Amino acid sequence: MSVRRLSLLQWVGFLVGGPVWFAEFLAGIGASQAVCNPASARWGIPHDAVQLGLMLFAAVCVLIALAASAVVFRETYEVEEQDPPPHGRIHFFAAASIGGNVVFLMIIVLTGIATIVDRTCHQA
Amino acid sequence: MTSVAERVDRLERQWAERPGVLGWLTTTDHKRVGLLYFWTTLVFFGAGGVEALVMRSQLIQPNNHLVGPETFDQLFTVHGMTMIFWFIIPMTTGAFGNYLVPLMIGARDMAFPRMNALSFWIFLASGMFLYIGLFSGFGPDAGWFNYVPLADRLHDPSRNIEFYTLGLAFNSIASTLTAANLIVTILKLRAPGMSFNRMPLFCFAFLAASFGLIFALPSLSVDLIFLFLQRNLGFHFFDVAHGGSSFLWQHLFWFFGHPEVYILIVPAFGIATEIIPAFTRRKMIAFPLVAIAELLVVFIGFGVWAHHMFATGLPTTTLVFFAGATSMVVIPSTIQVFAWCMSIYAGRPKFKTPLLFIIGFIVMFVAGGLTGIMFLAIPFDQQTTDTYFVVAHFHYIIFGAAVFPIFGGMYYWFPKVTGKLYFERPGQISFWIIFAGTNLLFFPMHIVGLLGMPRRVYTYPGDMGWTSYNVIESIGGYITAVGILALFTNLVVSYFRGAPAGPDPWHGPTLEWSVPSPPPEYNFAVIPTVSSAYANWDADDRERDGHRLTAGVGTLERGHEQHVSSLIDGWTSEIVDMPHSSPWPIALALALSLLFAMLVITHYLFAAIFAVVIALTLLGWHGKEPQES
Amino acid sequence: MSDVVAVDTRARERFPLGVWGIAMLIATEAALFAMMVGSYFYLRFKNAQWPPAGTPEPKVVVPLVLLGVLMLTAFPMWKAASSATPRRWLLLALVVQSGYFAMEVSDFRDDLRHFTPQQHAYGSIYYTLLGADHGHVAVGLLLDAWLLWKLLFGMTEFRRKAVRAIALYWYAVIVLTIVVTLTVTSPAFAR
């Protein structure tokens, strides 16, 4: 694989997961607040459907990022972590991104399931 | 042909600081700014410590009358504010960050030297602002998180809360400037060859903390602006009767407040990741995972804020997002703990004082982290919120995970900054006293919290079964104070009587150990080239630097010059002329101080006049342009 | 004396440090506005009637037209940043931006005749959000004026970098104004 393509995949792996999780997180909280507040409750937002959609979308994006990181890691397996750029940097970010994307995926799935399974708008 | 001595002499003349007090008032040298931050934060640490000791003395026995409730309210509020905003943040980012980051990345200064000096003078002025409020009887008194409606005009009508809102807003300008400076410095001024995979973990930690500050502080600023407008101009953000919401204060505050606590500890993680390789004589295990963990902790930390609001009655469909994210934010912290422990285990540890403090930090951080995990369970949180259990948790984290590495870092870099070695035996003794004292002080708080003792109470009845725990805690506090005094006495005596340290007493891994102790004003006679994150251990590179110095390649002697590199892979992109001594930072800080003073006494016209003065000062600041390259 | 530090041909991006500084300012100000916009919607979720009874609906046409005018000034700012003679483009931008600002101030004062920030949370957040946005526009006007004055004395490398940095500031202010305008006019689109 060319360095250009490796680099692109590396950046996809590193930069997609975090913002996607955070955007889904804010949208999910926003949706649950919109459903559970008296003024906005009349908008009739379907809570569980929205949360399921957000969770699936975010999970797919993070899986793509994880796959990109994994491909790059495998392609640069022989590279040492302190090797000169660009290969050393590419391998480093790929290794780091695998860890990061796994964590983001777990948060997305955990919080998505929890908010759907829970009684909507039940006060804590 | 120019000799090495002539090159060095030229650099010394180019970079020489103005002599005397005027030199310190107009300095833009990152090392001097770092030292100014260091000494000033220690004064605030002392103040915060005295506040703590007075509180512990008040609580040593039930129904005590050492201080009354109003004074106690101001004590715990100002103690919290001081320790967070005027000790830990400026000590880590302002002192350690400013002094060490340019040295570690092979730079001659920060990216914006005058802005660096400005951030210090603003920080100092904001601290004076807060303490003028305290000493004039108007100390903030609604807790460091200052919830409305308690902090609103109805319940807290006098100027105490204005010292809170304006003091913190003032301080946050300094932190924002420092964070911006650290980010641009780390991204753009790295030595040739220092791509991200070859950057010290310390720099990853400071990058993470700085991004945290940039994105978290605005939330606090918005909260403070809203409260100021509500209290002084009759706005209605937080009062329910006019369509506002008191929860809005909490959401905005904790959106800042939780990343803030990671901002407090992540630089300390960075300190640990430098001390461990130096004293175990091996590279950090799982380098990429530790680097990403440092970034992840802060990033995910933006998603957990409402775990501080589990007891407010919000719907669980909202709260589970935060419980889930809180459970996952543990993972990057755990990765780091495992990496540190395995690196110590797999290396050849030398248990000198800095490493002892790091081991103490790991122990305290794990203990505090375990109680943190307990809090993510909403029912448990609802039982223990606002009790001493919380106080125990966050002191184990903040004292253990932030302050212990700071103390370790003071010992570790003492030889570099002063050129002297500290006395090892007294150093180890000071560690053990502090470790014993802090555990005596904070551990019983878990128990007394579970027994129901609320936090922020100025006294308590004698028949609750809390007395003996409070006695132990107060004794622990006094022991901790003795240990801290021992630490600083050791450092002061070592400064005057310590043996010469030489450039590299520890055989340290990073570039600051490749220059003399203390470093010259220009840091590096030749801009180093780097081929790993442990550049000082790469003997070939350092030898090559010596040849380059002889040949005059990369010495940048034509002026006050600094090398700039590309963002990702650290390739040389340009040479820039850097500012030197300047009076504008202190002038601008003075004008800002007057603006905030006018705001606190609600003289808005004069505040507007000083805003104009600030604009004129900025004009003067940008009056002289840098030399063309 | 030899002092050769070769610029690496692999180093492609060349944003000056001043542009990076402005980027940091934009990041922190964007977060500030994100919090204020978030507060707007948070308060909106809490109130059954938004705006409250007796408060006029926000105007839509005039703000959107003015927004369009401000967006167009991105073009002269971009030309100024990429041109060897930026003065006339800067002057054009400053004139249009000043006109925009004057109209917005007039609208702001007109709104105050109908409802005040002291009446209710809607007024408080409306005026704070708009006021903050207008404040950033005002700072941009001052920066333009400073630049024009500096350029009267000729072009230097520093001034070239300053034009780029201030152009970046204006792009950010334009994006900010889009978000703020859509937020404050949102009651007209989604009741």
Side-chain angles (χ1 to χ4, degrees), chain B residues 530-585:
Chain B
V530 156
S531 47
S532 83
Y534 305 94
N536 197 45
W537 288 348
D538 297 328
D540 291 344
D541 283 344
R542 305 286 66 77
E543 194 181 321
R544 225 179 338 263
D545 284 347
H547 297 319
R548 288 168 62 237
L549 175 60
T550 308
V553 174
T555 49
L556 306 184
E557 313 153 45
R558 285 180 296 184
H560 213 242
E561 288 180 325
Q562 166 63 53
H563 141 284
V564 176
S565 60
S566 66
L567 171 63
I568 307 299
D569 290 328
W571 292 314
T572 307
S573 65
E574 64 179 315
I575 308 300
V576 293
D577 181 49
M578 301 298 272
H580 206 19
S581 305
S582 169
W584 294 111

Side-chain angles (χ1 to χ4, degrees), chain A:
Chain A
M1 205 183 285
S2 69
V3 171
R4 201 182 168 88
R5 184 170 291 185
L6 272 177
S7 200
L8 178 66
L9 281 177
Q10 173 241 289
W11 288 119
V12 165
F14 184 69
L15 293 176
V16 163
V20 162
W21 160 68
F22 197 61
E24 181 261 347
F25 177 81
L26 291 178
I29 290 164
S32 79
Q33 283 287 286
V35 165
C36 299
N37 273 294
S40 42
R42 63 198 158 90
W43 295 345
I45 296 170
H47 178 264
D48 289 355
V50 166
Q51 299 292 4
L52 183 65
L54 285 171
M55 178 180 80
L56 289 174
F57 174 75
V60 164
C61 290
V62 172
L63 277 167
I64 291 170
L66 184 58
S69 311
V71 163
V72 174
F73 185 81
R74 200 191 57 196
E75 289 287 316
T76 57
Y77 195 70
E78 303 302 323
V79 176
E80 299 281 333
E81 68 188 31
Q82 301 287 293
D83 273 358
H87 287 91
R89 176 257 301 168
I90 291 172
H91 180 74
F92 165 81
F93 274 116
S97 306
I98 289 172
N101 285 317
V102 166
V103 174
F104 290 132
L105 190 63
M106 287 201 290
I107 306 178
I108 289 165
V109 170
L110 255 181
T111 53
I113 292 172
T115 195
I116 292 167
V117 158
D118 186 54
R119 277 179 289 159
T120 309
C121 301
H122 169 241
Q123 193 174 37

Side-chain angles (χ1 to χ4, degrees), chain B residues 330-396:
Chain B
V330 173
I331 293 175
S333 303
T334 312
I335 289 171
Q336 293 187 77
V337 170
F338 276 118
W340 299 327
C341 292
M342 288 312 298
S343 299
I344 295 172
Y345 179 75
R348 294 170 291 143
K350 278 162 64 172
F351 292 100
K352 293 204 178 279
T353 307
L355 188 62
L356 288 180
F357 272 105
I358 296 308
I359 292 170
F361 141 67
I362 294 172
V363 169
M364 305 272 295
F365 177 55
V366 169
L370 287 171
T371 53
I373 295 171
M374 293 161 75
F375 277 112
L376 80 89
I378 297 172
F380 178 83
D381 182 281
Q382 290 179 338
Q383 286 290 304
T384 53
T385 203
D386 281 343
T387 69
Y388 259 83
F389 197 89
V390 183
V391 180
H393 160 69
F394 67 68
H395 279 100
Y396 261 82

Side-chain angles (χ1 to χ4, degrees), chain C:
Chain C
M1 122 185 81
S2 86
D3 182 9
V4 174
V5 175
V7 167
D8 199 311
T9 50
R10 293 170 294 181
R12 273 175 311 175
E13 41 80 18
R14 300 275 174 93
F15 293 120
L17 288 180
V19 169
W20 281 94
I22 291 287
M24 291 294 109
L25 173 71
I26 290 167
T28 203
E29 295 299 291
L32 192 93
F33 275 87
M35 293 301 120
M36 282 198 277
V37 167
S39 302
Y40 179 96
F41 286 105
Y42 186 84
L43 290 169
R44 186 169 176 184
F45 290 171
K46 298 275 178 203
N47 286 274
Q49 205 168 353
W50 187 269
T55 303
E57 289 265 324
K59 285 171 271 190
V60 173
V61 176
V62 170
L64 288 179
V65 167
L66 286 176
L67 174 65
V69 167
L70 187 70
M71 287 168 70
L72 287 173
T73 64
F75 177 73
M77 289 309 302
W78 171 70
K79 288 297 283 184
S82 49
S83 160
T85 51
R87 266 190 6 227
R88 56 200 162 126
W89 292 110
L90 262 178
L91 189 60
L92 172 63
L94 178 60
V95 165
V96 178
Q97 287 156 354
S98 304
Y100 163 86
F101 184 68
M103 291 286 311
E104 287 286 3
V105 168
S106 165
D107 260 0
F108 198 87
R109 289 173 63 183
D110 186 58
D111 283 337
L112 280 168
R113 278 186 218 114
H114 297 103
F115 67 104
T116 66
Q118 287 85 359
Q119 269 174 260
H120 37 56
Y122 172 81
S124 302
I125 190 67
Y126 177 90
Y127 286 108
T128 306
L129 195 48
L130 266 183
D133 185 44
H134 296 338
H136 281 71
V137 171
V139 166
L141 297 177
L142 291 173
L143 289 171
D144 283 352
W146 171 77
L147 250 184
L148 275 168
W149 174 67
K150 275 271 184 182
L151 287 170
L152 280 177
F153 301 100
M155 178 59 99
T156 63
E157 192 57 32
F158 173 79
R159 289 164 204 171
R160 193 184 309 280
K161 290 175 181 175
V163 175
R164 291 177 69 186
I166 289 166
L168 181 62
Y169 176 82
W170 270 110
Y171 304 149
V173 167
I174 289 167
V175 170
L176 224 54
T177 306
I178 293 170
V179 171
V180 168
T181 305
L182 291 179
T183 300
V184 299
T185 55
S186 64
F189 302 119
R191 273 161 227 292

